[in-house]
Amino acid sequence: MLKKMLEQFGIDEKRLMLEWVSASEGDRFASIVNNMTEQVRALGPLNWNQGGKHG
Amino acid sequence: MKKITIDPITRLEGHGKIDIFLDDAGDVANAYLQIPELRGFEKFCEGRPVEELPRIVPRICGV
Amino acid sequence: MAKLKLALYWAAACGGCDVAVLDINEKILDVAKLADIVFWPIALDFKYHHVEAMPDKSVDVCLFNGAIRSSEQEHIAKMLRSKSKVLVSFGSCACFGGIPALANLTTRAEIMERAYIEAPSNENPNKTLPQTKVSVPEGELTLPELYDNVLTLAQVVPVEYFVPGCPPTVDLILKVVNALATNSLPPVGATIASDKTLCDECDRKKEKKMISRIYRTHEIIPDPERCLLEQGLLCMGSATRGGCGALCVKVNIPCRGCFGPPAGVFDQGAKLVSSIASIYQTNGKQDIEKMVNELVDPAGTFYRFGMSVSMLKRRIPQKT
């Protein structure tokens, strides 16, 4: 639902991740966070002009 | 050439502005009505569910 | 007591807020007793140069309705701010962007293209678009610049009070008038409505039922006694500030959130997403997909009146 809405706002679905990690899965948690960070970094900053006047 | 500007046009809903140009004799040479507002219902109604439009388009004019 | 000086203005709005002021019927005579109106374009013939000539802080109260989506509207907002002691953000457009802020799902270029070039009622082979300056044989004409983003009044100038509603109800307007008459205005920054959600003042029966399907409003005739959301209709009540007296839900129409988020809620749409997710019965991926498909236009529904104050505020243009 959130993904569909974000798509309407022009936000790449790769910027949203939903994962279930147990408290015992430390390594998995770290690797998911690292992967997500890398993925978002690769996408670069949003071309987001929220207050300004010109698009 | 003299210019008279009526801004805003009042006692109606919506924004309007009239520029009247007078020639040297003081007669009206030309007059321009300008609409300094656009909200874009034409565009942003696209993509809305059709059954929702009766709740969106009344806000074109609420007078 | 000396008469108050009252100004009213409409920016990107429909005029419904101005009419709402007249909806107080004979009470308008009390307003006339209480205040002299010094600016109200929709009803009285004052021009911008009259306002410009007023000394700073000479207007006691300004009720400002409409969103800010052009350089002119921002200019008038700043002018009325400096002329007014108390500036009230009046109505959903001024408070949250309102219906005009749905335009934040598009861009200025797309709106211009649609309205001036593609519209079937327009004949514009040269694709002329409005310009801020145009030379005509007699001289020069100017127009304000249309902004890409629709902003709220408070995003442009500081505001003392917020009166939500599309339009604000008669009860709320009278509350404002009474507060002015008795000089008992609430603390600065207050929203003149309920602090709780609409659900709090809705009489419908809530049975804590899960839903297995989202219905569009034309697909069912809802039971007039039971909670609309629990009948599968998208009702924004749980994510919306109360204070309207539940006008829409009383006539079997789901709330669309015109009073904006309640106190303490940061993002109205996100709040509703979480409400729906928690009552939709799902037993796996298929059900989730079905739910997402039943939800036709989340952005345009959950932020129907509140796009400008949402976390994202607008659609992000794709990089080219």
Side-chain angles (χ1 to χ4, degrees), chain C residues 2 39 44 48 50 88 111 113 115-116 128 181 183 191 198 205 210 226 234 248 254 298 312 315:
Chain C
F39 184 52
L44 299 164
Y48 293 144
H50 293 126
V88 181
I111 290 172
E113 170 95 13
Y116 292 105
T128 312
N183 200 16
T191 296
L198 177 71
K205 256 187 280 166
M210 302 290 277
R226 292 177 49 222
L234 289 176
C248 295
L312 288 168
R315 195 187 92 208

Side-chain angles (χ1 to χ4, degrees), chain C:
Chain C
M1 192 169 95
K3 268 191 157 184
L4 295 172
K5 286 195 167 63
L6 178 67
L8 296 100
Y9 186 70
W10 72 155
C14 70
C17 286
D18 300 271
V19 174
V21 173
L22 296 176
D23 281 344
I24 62 176
N25 294 332
E26 74 285 354
K27 294 267 169 52
I28 194 79
L29 298 174
D30 295 344
V31 177
K33 242 183 264 166
L34 185 73
D36 282 327
I37 293 168
V38 294
F39 184 52
W40 192 7
I42 205 166
L44 299 164
D45 193 24
F46 293 106
K47 304 298 182 200
Y48 293 144
H49 65 85
H50 293 126
V51 181
E52 234 159 283
M54 293 174 191
D56 276 359
K57 304 287 167 207
S58 62
V59 177
D60 292 294
V61 183
C62 174
L63 303 181
F64 192 108
N65 73 69
I68 310 291
R69 68 123 57 258
S70 77
S71 55
E72 178 188 73
Q73 289 156 356
E74 181 171 357
H75 171 71
I76 305 286
K78 286 184 171 153
M79 184 160 83
L80 285 167
R81 171 68 278 183
S82 64
K83 307 292 179 194
S84 310
K85 286 183 197 135
V86 173
L87 182 62
V88 181
S89 183
F90 191 81
S92 300
C93 296
C95 292
F96 323 114
I99 294 284
L102 285 174
N104 283 2
L105 290 174
T106 73
T107 62
R108 173 178 56 179
E110 287 168 358
I111 290 172
M112 291 275 195
E113 170 95 13
R114 180 82 186 111
Y116 292 105
I117 299 169
E118 290 169 7
S121 51
N122 254 356
E123 201 174 310
N124 186 1
N126 297 328
K127 304 196 170 178
T128 312
L129 292 177
Q131 306 294 318
T132 50
K133 271 187 190 155
V134 178
S135 289
V136 291
E138 296 83 13
E140 195 180 67
L141 301 174
T142 59
L143 270 179
E145 187 186 10
L146 196 71
Y147 292 166
D148 206 38
N149 288 341
V150 178
L151 305 169
T152 69
L153 179 61
Q155 285 167 350
V156 175
V157 292
V159 167
E160 271 83 20
Y161 302 108
F162 299 86
V163 183
C166 187
T169 57
V170 169
D171 287 350
L172 290 185
I173 297 171
L174 289 177
K175 223 170 161 179
V176 176
V177 173
N178 287 338
L180 290 173
T182 55
N183 200 16
S184 56
L185 285 163
V188 166
T191 296
I192 302 180
S194 166
D195 279 341
K196 297 182 176 161
T197 64
L198 177 71
C199 293
D200 207 64
E201 61 192 53
C202 174
D203 295 333
R204 286 170 178 268
K205 256 187 280 166
K206 295 167 193 85
E207 297 154 324
K208 301 215 159 62
K209 271 201 173 140
M210 302 290 277
I211 56 171
S212 52
R213 199 196 140 165
I214 294 169
Y215 290 97
R216 296 169 69 169
T217 45
H218 61 282
E219 290 174 323
I220 54 166
I221 294 174
D223 181 333
E225 307 288 326
R226 292 177 49 222
C227 169
L228 291 168
L229 192 60
E230 289 180 358
Q231 295 182 63
L233 285 164
L234 289 176
C235 179
M236 298 273 296
S238 60
T240 301
R241 187 184 284 274
C244 61
L247 291 173
C248 295
V249 291
K250 271 187 188 150
V251 292
N252 239 1
I253 298 285
C255 168
R256 278 295 166 267
C258 78
F259 268 53
V265 170
F266 180 58
D267 189 283
Q268 198 177 9
K271 171 95 178 149
L272 205 80
V273 167
S274 105
S275 290
I276 295 169
S278 63
I279 65 158
Y280 201 103
Q281 188 109 48
T282 50
N283 294 313
K285 219 173 165 187
Q286 261 180 336
D287 287 348
I288 295 176
E289 260 166 41
K290 179 171 130 345
M291 166 177 76
V292 172
N293 285 334
E294 284 164 5
L295 199 62
V296 192
D297 175 28
T301 309
F302 300 163
Y303 300 102
R304 176 63 52 79
F305 292 89
M307 193 71 75
S308 294
V309 292
S310 69
M311 215 184 301
L312 288 168
K313 295 189 175 62
R314 68 160 296 108
R315 195 187 92 208
I316 289 144
Q318 298 306 299
K319 277 176 219 160
T320 44

